Amino acid sequence: HLALFQPTLNAIYLAKDRPNGSPDAAFGGNGRVDFPYGTTNDVYVELGVLPSGRIVLGGRRGSGNTFILMGLLPDGSVDPSFGTDGIVALNDLKGCTGLEVLPDGRFLCLSTDPLYQTHYAFAMFTADGELDPSFMDNGVLSAFPPGLGTHHCDLFQYMPDGRLLLGDASYSDQINRLTADGSALDPTFSPLSPINLHWVQLMEDGRIYYSASVDNRIGRLLPNGDPDTAFGFNGTMDLPG
C-alpha cells in the first residue's frame, strides 16, 4: 500500500506498508521516501502506480505552479528513464491536480490552462514521461467544446473508447462527457447536475455512480447519462445519517 503524506507545509513523503501494516523496509529508507521542499518548492499531491510497478507523482513547482511529474522505481529510487533525470516539468500547464493510470501503461493528468486558470486541461503521457502525440493536440487537450457550460473540472475518467467523463464538483455540479477527439460534447450522453456533486465513478459495464452531499445521496446513471431507475428510487438512494 502506497500513500502520500504532507504532515507540514514544507514536508511531503511517500510511504509503503506491507499487508500486515508494517513499513516496507525495502522501499526508500525504512518504508518511506521524503521530498524536501528545497529550492524548487516542489509539492506532490497526486500518485499513480503503473502496470510495471513504477510510480508516478504529480504536483506543482514554485510560485508559478509549474506542472511537474516525478518518476520512481518500485523501490522508491528515482527512475532515470522517466523524463529528464526522473522529472517532467511543463510550463504550458499549471500544476497536476489529477492522475489516472490506464491499463496500457499510459497515464492521463488533469491540470489548468495557464491563460485561464479556471479552465481545465488534460495531458496524456507514456510510461516514460513523454507526451503522447496520439492524444488530442500532441498530447494535450486545453480547448473547450461549445455548450459545455463550465470550463472547470476536478473529477474525470478516461473511457476505453477514448471519451472523457467529466465532473465539476466546484462550480456547476455537472457531469458531462466529451467525444473521443475532445472537440465536442458527446451527443449520446445526457448531462446531469446533481446538487453538491462529490465524486463520480465509471463502472466496467459503462454505468456511472455518483455521490452528492445533499441528503448523503448516491446515484446511478445508465451509460447514456440517464438515471438508472432500477437503482433505488428513480436512480438515487439517500443513505442514513
Side-chain angles (χ1 to χ4, degrees):
H1 175 255
L2 280 169
L4 270 172
F5 296 91
Q6 187 175 4
T8 65
L9 179 62
N10 297 336
I12 298 173
Y13 68 91
L14 177 65
K16 184 178 183 181
D17 293 339
R18 295 183 179 278
N20 65 4
S22 63
D24 184 347
F27 182 80
N30 197 30
R32 61 186 277 175
V33 176
D34 289 274
F35 306 102
Y37 200 52
T39 58
T40 55
N41 299 344
D42 293 352
V43 177
Y44 296 101
V45 295
E46 297 295 332
L47 166 66
V49 180
L50 306 183
S52 64
R54 293 192 293 171
I55 301 162
V56 178
L57 303 178
R60 63 187 185 274
R61 167 172 290 176
S63 59
N65 289 333
T66 297
F67 176 100
I68 59 168
L69 300 170
M70 174 181 280
L72 303 176
L73 296 173
D75 65 0
S77 60
V78 173
D79 183 353
S81 69
F82 186 87
T84 301
D85 297 327
I87 297 290
V88 171
L90 297 179
N91 292 321
D92 293 337
L93 298 175
K94 293 291 185 181
C96 175
T97 56
L99 192 157
E100 179 185 0
V101 176
L102 307 184
D104 61 9
R106 297 180 299 162
F107 57 95
L108 182 64
C109 292
L110 175 63
S111 185
T112 305
D113 187 311
L115 296 179
Y116 306 97
Q117 295 199 28
T118 59
H119 292 192
Y120 68 83
F122 287 98
M124 181 75 79
F125 294 88
T126 67
D128 291 328
E130 301 290 335
L131 282 171
D132 180 1
S134 69
F135 177 80
M136 307 303 176
D137 183 12
N138 292 318
V140 176
L141 170 65
S142 59
F144 316 106
L148 183 59
T150 177
H151 291 164
H152 188 271
C153 174
D154 38 28
L155 307 168
F156 73 96
Q157 286 195 273
Y158 186 78
M159 301 180 66
D161 60 8
R163 290 179 294 179
L164 270 169
L165 183 67
L166 307 179
D168 175 6
S170 299
Y171 291 91
S172 68
D173 290 327
Q174 186 179 91
I175 301 172
N176 220 319
R177 191 165 68 194
L178 301 185
T179 56
D181 64 2
S183 65
L185 295 176
D186 184 350
T188 68
F189 188 81
S190 301
L192 182 73
S193 296
I195 299 175
N196 293 338
L197 177 67
H198 185 59
W199 57 257
V200 176
Q201 178 65 49
L202 176 69
M203 309 305 291
E204 290 186 1
D205 61 6
R207 290 182 295 179
I208 301 160
Y209 283 90
Y210 68 90
S211 76
S213 59
V214 171
D215 296 325
N216 293 321
R217 181 164 296 169
I218 293 178
R220 190 169 74 189
L221 306 177
L222 297 172
N224 67 356
D226 289 339
D228 185 351
T229 56
F231 179 81
F233 178 73
N234 289 331
T236 64
M237 180 183 299
D238 293 343
L239 300 180

